[in-house]
Amino acid sequence: TGGVDGRVSLEVDPRLAHDTQATVEAARTLWKAVDRPNLFIKIPATVEGLPAITTALSDGISVNVTLIPSDS
């Protein structure tokens, strides 16, 4: 299939869910390491994750927004 049939998701480490900059850096690292157009980077939808999602999208990274993790 040449690596373009379907989508693949890799998740940013959920321990970074409350650190915007670390999430952005992790997303960029994963995106660059895989270097495939069918990749989605999963980013948690926390308060800190929302600007990371926006930044990743503006960098041209395909994003899959994950559930909001519970701190309880």
Side-chain angles (χ1 to χ4, degrees):
T1 63
V4 294
D5 250 3
R7 300 289 182 185
V8 175
S9 292
L10 290 177
E11 186 170 0
V12 169
D13 187 332
R15 293 173 291 185
L16 303 177
H18 299 289
D19 185 335
T20 301
Q21 190 56 42
T23 296
V24 170
E25 290 170 14
R28 288 174 176 157
T29 299
L30 290 170
W31 184 256
K32 187 175 184 178
V34 174
D35 194 26
R36 295 281 192 262
N38 62 328
L39 177 67
F40 278 92
I41 303 298
K42 295 169 85 172
I43 299 176
T46 58
V47 169
E48 299 84 0
L50 296 177
I53 291 164
T54 301
T55 300
L57 289 170
S58 70
D59 285 352
I61 297 171
S62 297
V63 173
N64 181 355
V65 179
T66 61
L67 298 175
I68 301 171
S70 173
D71 290 331
S72 55

